[in-house]
Amino acid sequence: MDHDLTGFEWLEPWSALPDARARERERQLQSHLIPDHPLHGRPARALAERRDDAPDTLFALESPVELCVVSLSAVRKRSASSPFFSVFESLTEFREACMLPDHQEYTDSDVE
């Protein structure tokens, strides 16, 4: 699967990560994982993050190749189910199932 982001349109509150911030998020992810967590030991490249209060980061994973949104909040207790994550098979699936709903919520003036 190709995760070429050339021409990909990010919608608020999502934005691409500059390299230094991406490396920081990658280190943060690895520090939150215990050996029993499903993401442990899988190479992960940080691609984007939410710019609002949500601690969500989009990663490209290997073995198998897929996209994953990980909630990198302050983890109180590391476990096989924390941090929470959602898997997407493509950028299109991520856009439809995650980014568009986030964008609608973020830009909805009726939401408090």
Side-chain angles (χ1 to χ4, degrees), residues 4-6 25 27 34 41 48 52 54 57 68 70-71 73 75 84 92 98 104 111:
D4 181 9
L5 299 174
T6 304
R25 286 298 201 184
R27 286 189 297 274
I34 65 169
D52 58 357
T57 303
C68 183
V70 181
S71 188
S73 60
V75 176
F84 175 77
T92 300
C98 184
Q104 289 169 345
V111 175

Side-chain angles (χ1 to χ4, degrees), residues 2-10 16 45-48 58 67 91:
D2 184 17
H3 299 304
D4 181 9
L5 299 174
T6 304
F8 186 76
E9 180 186 1
W10 296 103
R45 182 171 51 103
L47 303 175
L58 175 67
L67 294 171
L91 280 170

Side-chain angles (χ1 to χ4, degrees), residues 28-95:
Q28 185 180 14
L29 172 64
Q30 295 309 315
S31 73
H32 283 4
L33 301 176
I34 65 169
D36 290 340
H37 194 282
L39 301 180
H40 184 266
R42 294 181 65 186
R45 182 171 51 103
L47 303 175
E49 69 181 348
R50 285 184 63 153
R51 293 181 306 200
D52 58 357
D53 293 335
D56 297 344
T57 303
L58 175 67
F59 291 92
L61 301 172
E62 296 180 19
S63 303
V65 175
E66 57 196 356
L67 294 171
C68 183
V69 171
V70 181
S71 188
L72 289 174
S73 60
V75 176
R76 292 187 181 108
K77 180 180 177 188
R78 298 182 329 160
S79 71
S81 61
S82 180
F84 175 77
F85 66 98
S86 300
V87 175
F88 304 95
E89 292 186 15
S90 67
L91 280 170
T92 300
E93 184 182 0
F94 162 74
R95 179 181 172 80

